[in-house]
């Protein structure tokens, strides 16, 4: 064998053993070291240009104060994010991102680039600028944890679902602390209420205490990346520990007065699940603001969108227009008033958010408001004109 062939063979073997780009589970007996984190041939192809620059691939498992933990083929490294901190808040590095990192030897090591995201879970910030905040990247399943220790907030569930659908992930509603509802009939009614609120979404009651439903949930999340979402006290960290089979996440008791939780998780952490797949645990969310989630809202309220297709006017606002199929369903009781009120609220909120960055939409909303104002004034004048004085 020539020296060049021997060198090429050695290089190929080294690449396969380290699991660097170009190696896959089919290249040899040993799988890619990042395979448990979701590395595949598509990612290897996308990373090829960075490999040519001598960078190494890794997945971001935690971000904290300008630095992040990145798991690579040779272990987890701490890297600076100075080169991937753009002005656009939706492009900053996030837990779940796939990154190109400096090779060993740099001090500090830097994240030089991020691979394109397949999906991204984004909400609106609480600031007056209403900027988007990315919570997790490259997610396949969005697990919305809802505690049965307190009264169900269906409106909040709808908000989470809208963001989940908009992200490109498949939502799943998990009703935690099911052991607090020992009556099977009462539990079934609660599940039905949420199923009505979440068309096309699996609703699963679980209990980390008794193990109810946890095997089904583990099977669902065994493939791909899942993000765990919910308010403080929803039992996310306890659920994460149950799925992982270890006390990986700290847990605190909820307040007995109102059932609200204390913030236990303070950063978003990506954890490998023993049955396959990875889980991103997130801090409790106090606010669930929409951010350009029009398609997500339509998916949550699919029954209203289906009815709207039969309205006489294509731009029907479902308020007082003749031939409105949505109002007809409201009148005959087939559409609950709460659902329509919630739909209108989320549509308006989303329009306001989008209008802040879309001048054309802002002008359309203003014209629509002026038209409705003029119609209302004309109707009022006509009513006053017909009144006997």
């Amino acid at each position: 064998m020539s020296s060049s062939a021997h060198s090429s063979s050695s290089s190929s073997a080294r690449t396969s053993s380290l699991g660097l780009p170009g190696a896959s589970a089919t290249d040899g007996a040993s799988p890619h070291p990042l395979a448990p984190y979701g590395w595949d041939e598509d990612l290897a192809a996308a990373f090829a240009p960075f490999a040519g620059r001598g960078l190494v691939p890794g997945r971001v498992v935690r971000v904290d104060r300008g630095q992040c933990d990145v798991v690579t083929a040779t272990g987890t490294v701490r890297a600076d994010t100075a080169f991937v901190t753009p002005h656009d808040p939706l492009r900053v590095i996030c837990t779940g991102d796939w990154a190109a990192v400096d090779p060993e030897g740099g001090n500090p090591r830097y994240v030089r680039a991020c691979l394109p995201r397949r999906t991204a879970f984004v909400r609106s910030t609480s600031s007056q600028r209403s900027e988007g905040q990315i919570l997790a990247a490259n997610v396949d399943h969005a697990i919305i944890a809802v505690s049965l220790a307190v009264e169900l907030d269906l409106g909040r569930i709808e908000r989470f679902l809208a963001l989940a659908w908009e992200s490109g992930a498949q939502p799943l509603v998990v009703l935690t602390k099911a052991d607090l509802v020992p009556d099977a009939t009462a539990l079934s009614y609660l599940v039905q209420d949420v199923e009505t609120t979440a068309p096309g979404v699996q609703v699963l009651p679980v209990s980390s205490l008794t193990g109810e439903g946890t095997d089904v949930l583990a099977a669902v999340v065994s493939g791909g990346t899942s993000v765990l979402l919910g308010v403080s006290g929803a039992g996310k960290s306890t659920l994460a520990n149950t799925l992982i089979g270890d006390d990986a996440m700290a847990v605190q008791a909820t307040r007995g007065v109102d059932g609200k939780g204390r913030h236990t998780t303070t950063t978003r952490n990506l954890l490998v699940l023993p049955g396959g797949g990875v889980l991103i645990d997130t801090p409790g969310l106090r606010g669930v603001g929409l951010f350009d989630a029009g398609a997500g809202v339509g998916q949550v309220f699919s029954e209203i969108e289906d009815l709207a297709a039969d309205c006489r006017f294509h731009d029907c606002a479902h308020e007082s227009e003749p031939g409105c199929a949505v109002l007809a369903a409201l009148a005959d009781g087939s559409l609950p008033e709460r659902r329509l009120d919630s739909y209108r609220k989320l549509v308006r909120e989303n329009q306001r958010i989008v209008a802040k960055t879309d001048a054309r939409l802002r002008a359309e909303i203003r014209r629509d408001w002026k038209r409705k104002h003029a119609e209302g004034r004309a109707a009022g004048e006509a009513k006053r004109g017909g009144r006997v004085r």
Side-chain angles (χ1 to χ4, degrees):
M1 179 183 293
S2 67
S3 60
S4 61
H6 177 75
S7 174
S8 175
S9 176
S10 299
S11 175
S12 176
R14 188 164 54 250
T15 298
S16 178
S17 66
L18 290 177
L20 296 178
S24 69
T26 60
D27 291 335
S30 58
H32 194 295
L34 290 176
Y37 290 88
W39 184 262
D40 56 25
E41 292 182 357
D42 290 338
L43 287 168
F47 190 82
F50 301 107
R53 292 164 48 187
L55 302 175
V56 298
R59 193 163 196 191
V60 178
V61 297
R62 185 172 179 268
V63 179
D64 184 29
R65 299 179 181 178
Q67 293 192 320
C68 62
D69 293 334
V70 184
V71 60
T72 70
T74 56
T76 301
V77 302
R78 189 75 167 163
D80 196 295
T81 65
F83 293 105
V84 286
T85 308
H87 294 296
D88 183 353
L90 296 184
R91 295 177 59 198
V92 300
I93 197 165
C94 178
T95 302
D97 271 323
W98 286 96
V101 187
D102 287 335
E104 292 183 30
N107 187 22
R109 293 172 74 168
Y110 288 93
V111 174
R112 298 292 176 174
C114 290
L115 297 187
R117 292 164 175 157
R118 293 182 295 103
T119 61
F121 194 97
V122 180
R123 69 162 178 173
S124 175
T125 64
S126 57
S127 67
Q128 292 299 315
R129 294 191 300 270
S130 296
E131 296 175 336
Q133 178 190 23
I134 180 167
L135 299 181
N138 299 309
V139 172
D140 301 294
H141 306 284
I143 306 171
I144 302 165
V146 180
S147 173
L148 291 177
V150 295
E151 185 177 354
L152 289 177
D153 186 337
L154 299 179
R156 179 181 288 145
I157 294 174
E158 288 163 344
R159 285 175 171 275
F160 272 113
L161 288 169
L163 294 178
W165 282 122
E166 191 69 32
S167 76
Q170 172 65 45
L172 167 67
V173 179
V174 173
L175 302 180
T176 65
K177 308 179 184 180
D179 52 281
L180 298 180
V181 188
D183 183 80
T185 301
L187 181 59
S188 68
Y189 285 143
L190 291 171
V191 172
Q192 287 178 2
D193 287 343
V194 179
E195 287 176 338
T196 302
T197 300
V201 176
Q202 182 178 3
V203 179
L204 180 64
V206 303
S207 169
S208 296
L209 182 64
T210 66
E212 177 186 357
T214 57
D215 55 340
V216 178
L217 179 58
V220 171
V221 302
S222 62
T225 299
S226 303
V227 61
L228 192 52
L229 304 154
V231 299
S232 297
K236 298 187 304 302
S237 295
T238 301
L239 190 59
N241 287 336
T242 300
L243 291 171
I244 296 166
D246 186 19
D247 292 336
M249 308 304 297
V251 177
Q252 293 185 20
T254 56
R255 296 200 301 252
V257 175
D258 53 12
K260 293 184 178 180
R262 303 173 177 89
H263 286 287
T264 299
T265 304
T266 57
T267 58
R268 293 180 282 278
N269 303 280
L270 187 147
L271 308 160
V272 176
L273 298 172
V278 294
L279 178 70
I280 299 176
D281 191 21
T282 64
L285 300 177
R286 295 190 184 279
V288 195
L290 300 185
F291 186 81
D292 196 5
V297 172
Q299 188 77 28
V300 175
F301 298 92
S302 56
E303 80 278 28
I304 297 179
E305 297 273 304
D306 290 343
L307 287 168
D310 294 328
C311 289
R312 180 182 301 178
F313 304 108
H314 70 88
D315 60 346
C316 183
H318 321 306
E319 293 179 350
S320 59
E321 296 87 347
C324 175
V326 174
L327 293 180
L330 186 67
D332 67 23
S334 58
L335 175 64
E337 187 171 358
R338 191 207 68 80
R339 285 284 283 175
L340 181 57
D341 288 344
S342 185
Y343 172 74
R344 288 168 171 164
K345 181 179 180 180
L346 294 189
V347 167
R348 287 195 300 268
E349 178 182 328
N350 193 65
Q351 284 181 336
R352 286 196 300 270
I353 294 295
V354 175
K356 289 185 178 182
T357 56
D358 189 329
R360 184 175 64 178
L361 179 60
R362 189 162 57 243
E364 290 178 356
I365 292 175
R366 187 179 297 113
R367 285 195 298 270
D368 185 59
W369 180 85
K370 288 182 177 179
R371 176 182 62 80
K372 291 180 179 180
H373 181 70
E375 290 175 352
R377 184 172 59 187
E381 290 176 351
K383 186 175 182 179
R384 287 194 296 272
R387 185 182 302 163
V388 178
R389 299 189 181 185

